[in-house]
Amino acid sequence: MADEKPTLVLHLVSGGEPLLFTVHPDDVAELTKQLYLYLDHGSVQTIRTKEDVNLQVNFAHVAVAYIDDLQRKGKVFGLH
C-alpha cells in the first residue's frame, strides 16, 4: 500500500490551475478542522509543508481549499 500524501489543494479566485502543497503529517488533522474558518474569514495563515517549509497563504484570494490524498489511484472527485 502506498504512503498517504495529504495535499492542500488551493483554487485561487483568479482562476488557473490549482496550487498543490503536500502538508506535514503532524498538521493534517488541525488544518482539516480549521480550513473552513480560514476561508470564511479570509485570513493569512502559515501552512507547514511535508518538507518543513512554512508558507504564508492569504485565504482572501482562495475560492476553494481542501485536503486530498494525491496517492490514491482511480479517484473521481465526489465519489467513493
Side-chain angles (χ1 to χ4, degrees):
M1 184 172 170
D3 292 331
E4 289 184 10
K5 193 174 185 178
T7 302
L8 175 63
V9 180
L10 302 175
H11 293 269
L12 300 181
V13 173
S14 60
E17 293 294 317
L19 303 174
L20 307 172
F21 301 101
T22 305
V23 179
H24 194 281
D26 295 342
D27 298 342
V28 173
E30 185 65 24
L31 180 58
T32 300
K33 287 193 305 190
Q34 298 296 323
L35 199 53
Y36 80 96
L37 291 172
Y38 302 159
L39 285 165
D40 190 41
H41 297 288
S43 60
V44 176
Q45 296 294 324
T46 301
I47 307 295
R48 183 170 57 146
T49 68
K50 185 177 180 180
E51 297 79 20
D52 281 324
V53 174
N54 289 322
L55 303 171
Q56 299 296 318
V57 178
N58 184 345
F59 283 91
H61 298 284
V62 177
V64 177
Y66 54 92
I67 303 291
D68 196 4
D69 181 5
L70 296 186
Q71 286 297 102
R72 289 185 289 143
K73 294 187 179 189
K75 66 179 182 165
V76 176
F77 185 77
L79 299 177
H80 300 273

